[in-house]
Amino acid sequence: MSDTERQVVIYWRPGCGYCQRLKGALGKDGQRATWVNIWQDDDAAAYVRSVNDGNETVPTVVIDGTPHTNPRPGLVKERLAS
């Protein structure tokens, strides 16, 4: 599946325990998402700040165009499974 077909984008950064928890909970379903490291992509970091009151709060997950800050893993997994 190409990145343009993926409807879930997960913004994350190394060392983030919440990001690790999400990745572990998603298991293989997580491969269907696009993962973007905000420490390697300035535009991604700016986007995360824009939807989190200026904070680089991760994971920020965009599902079908709607951002979710640190969503419950079940929400993300449900969308990836559909």
Side-chain angles (χ1 to χ4, degrees), residues 23-39:
K23 187 173 185 175
L26 296 178
K28 288 186 179 186
D29 288 333
Q31 295 173 359
R32 294 190 191 112
T34 299
W35 292 78
V36 181
N37 180 344
I38 67 167
W39 284 358

Side-chain angles (χ1 to χ4, degrees), residues 44-60 67-70:
Y47 173 76
V48 168
R49 288 191 302 272
S50 78
V51 298
N52 289 297
D53 299 321
N55 299 306
E56 290 185 355
T57 307
V58 289
T60 294
H68 303 268
T69 303
N70 197 17

